Amino acid sequence: MAEDQKAKAKKEQVKGKAKEVVGRAVGNEQMEAEGRAGQSKGDARQAKEKAKDTFKH
């Protein structure tokens, strides 16, 4: 299950980055902000999973 969460975190980061880049390219500040938020959500999920792994070992 942890691997699923790690993959989900990476997917959120990539999707957020893509959305941010597209938003910037078309001049859509809201889309750009949503992209940054998606990346942050992925970063937070990844940090949580890393912390869980640390305490397992």
Side-chain angles (χ1 to χ4, degrees):
M1 183 157 153
E3 292 301 318
D4 293 337
Q5 292 299 316
K6 288 179 185 178
K8 189 173 183 177
K10 192 64 172 172
K11 182 178 167 185
E12 287 173 336
Q13 290 169 326
V14 170
K15 186 177 174 183
K17 182 63 176 176
K19 195 170 190 177
E20 179 185 6
V21 169
V22 170
R24 187 177 302 133
V26 298
N28 186 332
E29 291 180 11
Q30 182 178 355
M31 183 183 282
E32 191 176 342
E34 289 172 359
R36 283 192 302 270
Q39 287 180 70
S40 294
K41 185 177 177 183
D43 291 344
R45 185 181 307 277
Q46 187 176 44
K48 180 180 117 184
E49 291 304 314
K50 283 184 179 179
K52 284 172 41 178
D53 286 347
T54 300
F55 289 112
K56 280 183 180 179
H57 297 0

